[in-house]
């Protein structure tokens, strides 16, 4: 066993008296601490199977060793995260990177670690070795009906795997688009994509959701056929009530007002999927909260406000997921940091004095409105987040347990120093 319950408990004992002081201090400052802690315990963020290895860049990859070599080992890695923070109770699979050989075995293993299967992801942005037709010029948008059919069939196969595992949603991210003006006809590319998505939609079980993810550019650099939230919303509105838009924080053009996008999608009842990460320039897939923590807080503020306005359940009505890639950090350490950043931003938006904010807005009191927002953002809620982890059976300080118990060193001993996880 790489990490036992006792090791987490021992470390918690050592840190307990200091934590208690911090927790008391912050609980005195806010009036809904207990309610916040309950919501934090319920809030689970899915970990993508492809974020457990070193992603690298197109210039190179510098793996650190001990990466998961199979789907079983990916589940074990997420089990470690979940044991440490109590908030990573779901896994998101990418097909064909994660084809389960025996779904029952995989399902049982995940259940042993307290994990459920979040959205399934299809992949029509790469050619697989045994594939008949190429996606070089797109998949669902392709001028050749046979290529479109291949992409549709693949998505239907992904749904089949998801059904076996107990997943309830499919995320479709398409790299389709064009790299040069004139390469394609925008309208025809859109209509072909819509027709293909409709065929996949028709194969959805009645209790499933389909998420259509948008992205401004990359790998195509002139146009993307699902390029922004307007285009995604157009597709999902035409598809029907089981189709929703997925927001990935890194998929916008610079300085886009993501919090406003989120608010309007929620208002329309069309937001259901979410990929957390952070970015300075593009789809950088950096650690959540590492570049723009205030933006993250503002997004959470809109999420909480919008979900409450629609009586939505914070924990279950949206599919929360991290979508990250690691160039220089240990992937597991990075994911611990990302989950912590998400919990902090969520807690801050839960302590925000919302009634006072509405009052300030109605009085056009801009200064007070800003003060209310920033007061919440500048409150150090880390002890509340730690208390939620403690009550969920996790570690007060996940990162230091990870390091002190030499988790990575032990994984390298078990799996070797030259490992490559499937994924990007
Ligand atoms: C894309 C997008 C998708 C993810 C792939 C690997 O940029 O974010 O969600 O499945 O990367
Ligand atoms: Mn994504
Ligand atoms: Mn991204
Ligand atoms: Mn991405």
């Amino acid at each position: 066993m790489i990490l036992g319950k006792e090791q987490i408990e021992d470390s918690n004992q050592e840190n307990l008296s200091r934590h208690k002081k911090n927790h008391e201090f912050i609980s005195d400052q806010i009036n809904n601490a207990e309610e916040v802690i309950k919501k934090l315990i319920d809030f689970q963020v899915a970990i993508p199977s492809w974020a457990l290895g070193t992603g690298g860049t197109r210039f190179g990859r510098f793996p650190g060793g001990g990466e998961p070599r199979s789907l079983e080992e990916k589940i074990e890695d997420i089990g470690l995260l979940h044991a440490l923070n109590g908030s990573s109770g779901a896994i998101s699979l990418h097909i064909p990177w994660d084809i389960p050989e025996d779904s029952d075995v995989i399902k049982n293993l995940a259940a042993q670690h307290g994990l459920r299967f979040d959205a399934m992801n299809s992949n029509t942005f790469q050619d697989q070795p045994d594939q008949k037709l190429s996606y070089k010029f797109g998949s669902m948008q392709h001028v050749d009906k046979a290529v479109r059919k291949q992409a549709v069939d693949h998505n239907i196969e992904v749904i089949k795997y998801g059904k076996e595992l107990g997943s309830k949603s499919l995320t479709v991210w398409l790299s389709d688009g064009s790299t040069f003006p004139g390469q394609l006809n925008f309208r025809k590319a859109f209509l072909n994509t819509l027709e293909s998505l409709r065929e996949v939609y028709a194969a959805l079980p009645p209790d499933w959701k389909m998420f259509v993810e948008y992205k401004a550019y990359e790998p195509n650099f002139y146009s993307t056929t699902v390029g922004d939230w307007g285009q995604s919303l157009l597709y999902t509105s035409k598809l029907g009530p089981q189709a929703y838009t997925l927001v990935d924080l890194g998929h916008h053009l610079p300085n886009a007002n993501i919090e406003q996008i989120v608010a309007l999608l929620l208002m329309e009842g069309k937001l259901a999927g979410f990929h957390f990460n952070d970015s300075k320039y593009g789809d950088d897939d950096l650690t959540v909260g590492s570049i723009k923590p205030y933006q993250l807080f503002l997004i959470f503020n809109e999420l909480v406000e919008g979900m409450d306005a629609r009586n939505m359940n914070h924990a279950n009505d949206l599919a929360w997921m991290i979508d990250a890639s690691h160039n220089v950090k240990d992937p597991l350490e990075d994911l611990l940091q990302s989950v912590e950043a998400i919990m902090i931003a969520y807690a801050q938006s839960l302590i925000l004095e919302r009634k006072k904010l509405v009052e300030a807005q109605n009085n056009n009191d801009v200064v007070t409105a800003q003060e209310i927002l920033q007061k919440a953002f500048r409150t150090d809620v880390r002890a509340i987040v730690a208390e939620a982890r403690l009550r969920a059976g996790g570690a007060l300080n996940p990162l230091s347990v990870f390091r002190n118990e030499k988790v990575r060193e032990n994984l390298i001993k078990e799996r070797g120093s030259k490992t490559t996880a499937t994924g990007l």
Side-chain angles (χ1 to χ4, degrees):
M1 173 162 279
I2 299 283
L3 183 70
K5 272 246 160 281
E6 319 74 55
Q7 289 159 303
I8 293 177
E9 274 159 22
D10 289 351
S11 152
N12 285 349
Q13 274 311 319
E14 277 168 38
N15 294 302
L16 201 58
S17 65
R18 183 164 353 132
H19 163 69
K20 275 195 168 149
K21 275 190 213 131
N22 292 340
H23 177 228
E24 264 164 39
F25 178 75
I26 176 69
S27 300
D28 275 353
Q29 289 181 314
I30 54 181
N31 48 27
N32 60 346
E34 277 303 306
E35 187 196 322
V36 173
I37 290 169
K38 281 199 191 90
K39 290 199 165 133
L40 289 172
I41 293 173
D42 287 345
F43 201 83
Q44 299 294 319
V45 184
I47 306 294
S49 71
W50 60 99
L52 300 163
T54 320
T57 69
R58 65 196 167 106
F59 297 104
R61 196 173 164 272
F62 305 96
E67 291 184 6
R69 296 160 298 179
S70 61
L71 178 51
E72 283 84 346
E73 289 183 351
K74 289 179 182 181
I75 290 171
E76 279 163 23
D77 273 18
I78 299 176
L80 282 169
L81 295 176
H82 192 44
L84 285 167
N85 64 21
S87 314
S88 309
I91 176 171
S92 188
L93 301 188
H94 226 307
I95 304 294
W97 298 335
D98 302 310
I99 290 185
E101 265 174 46
D102 183 332
S103 293
D104 287 334
V105 172
I106 293 298
K107 225 176 142 173
N108 284 336
L109 182 65
Q112 278 167 33
H113 291 281
L115 310 178
R116 52 174 186 76
F117 289 90
D118 207 78
M120 300 293 293
N121 299 266
S122 58
N123 178 343
T124 59
F125 48 86
Q126 292 175 324
D127 284 347
Q128 306 303 328
D130 54 350
Q131 188 179 308
K132 261 179 65 209
L133 303 164
S134 173
Y135 294 132
K136 180 170 179 183
F137 297 106
S139 58
M140 292 197 177
Q141 72 169 18
H142 205 281
V143 288
D144 180 355
K145 170 101 186 160
V147 179
R148 305 204 292 273
K149 186 177 182 314
Q150 178 179 281
V152 168
D153 289 346
H154 164 69
N155 275 273
I156 293 173
E157 200 192 353
V158 174
I159 295 174
K160 188 200 91 192
Y161 286 123
K163 277 205 287 199
E164 288 171 12
L165 294 168
S167 166
K168 293 282 176 218
S169 49
L170 169 74
T171 296
V172 182
W173 172 67
L174 301 172
S175 68
D176 292 32
S178 64
T179 294
F180 295 99
Q183 186 183 328
L184 55 66
N185 177 297
F186 297 135
R187 193 184 65 253
K188 286 180 186 164
F190 183 97
L191 291 173
N192 281 341
T193 303
L194 179 62
E195 180 194 77
S196 309
L197 286 172
R198 278 199 169 122
E199 285 167 30
V200 176
Y201 187 89
L204 281 179
D207 59 342
W208 271 53
K209 291 177 181 170
M210 176 170 164
F211 305 144
V212 179
E213 182 174 3
Y214 61 88
K215 174 163 163 168
Y217 66 90
E218 194 211 16
N220 276 295
F221 290 107
Y222 174 61
S223 74
T224 300
T225 301
V226 194
D228 64 18
W229 71 284
Q231 290 158 27
S232 168
L233 184 60
L234 212 52
Y235 286 108
T236 56
S237 305
K238 288 174 190 288
L239 285 168
Q242 283 173 260
Y244 296 86
T245 294
L246 182 147
V247 172
D248 180 316
L249 295 184
H251 287 193
H252 305 85
L253 291 173
N255 300 328
N257 189 333
I258 304 174
E259 52 271 30
Q260 188 180 14
I261 295 172
V262 162
L264 297 186
L265 285 172
L266 265 177
M267 178 185 78
E268 290 299 294
K270 276 298 195 186
L271 178 67
F274 216 92
H275 285 179
F276 290 107
N277 47 49
D278 211 344
S279 106
K280 177 83 178 155
Y281 300 107
D283 190 19
D284 310 342
D285 285 338
L286 301 176
T287 319
V288 183
S290 62
I291 306 280
K292 297 175 196 143
Y294 191 48
Q295 175 184 267
L296 179 68
F297 161 75
L298 294 175
I299 290 168
F300 254 108
N301 176 39
E302 294 303 333
L303 287 168
V304 166
E305 199 273 341
M307 286 188 289
D308 288 349
R310 296 178 62 85
N311 279 320
M312 289 167 75
N313 180 304
H314 295 185
N316 302 326
D317 289 347
L318 261 73
W320 306 109
M321 200 185 100
I322 290 172
D323 190 358
S325 180
H326 322 279
N327 305 333
V328 295
K329 284 183 186 169
D330 180 307
L332 291 175
E333 293 190 352
D334 183 299
L335 289 162
L336 288 173
Q337 289 183 309
S338 276
V339 173
E340 169 96 9
I342 292 167
M343 291 313 207
I344 288 173
Y346 179 40
Q348 287 170 332
S349 64
L350 291 172
I351 64 164
L352 184 132
E353 295 167 299
R354 213 159 286 283
K355 276 204 192 102
K356 284 193 189 162
L357 179 61
V358 174
E359 221 175 273
Q361 289 170 343
N362 289 339
N363 293 327
N364 293 314
D365 186 348
V366 185
V367 169
T368 302
Q370 181 186 331
E371 287 295 313
I372 291 166
L373 249 63
Q374 292 189 335
K375 183 182 170 196
F377 177 66
R378 289 169 182 162
T379 303
D380 184 355
V381 295
R382 286 175 299 175
I384 293 196
V385 173
E387 178 67 19
R389 265 199 309 271
L390 184 69
R391 293 194 201 171
L396 281 171
N397 192 340
L399 260 183
S400 63
V401 176
F402 185 91
R403 290 211 169 174
N404 294 340
E405 299 302 333
K406 302 201 178 321
V407 172
R408 180 56 65 185
E409 287 85 339
N410 291 332
L411 288 172
I412 291 174
K413 260 188 227 146
E414 198 181 286
R415 301 170 180 173
S417 57
K418 291 208 166 49
T419 48
T420 311
T422 48
L424 282 181

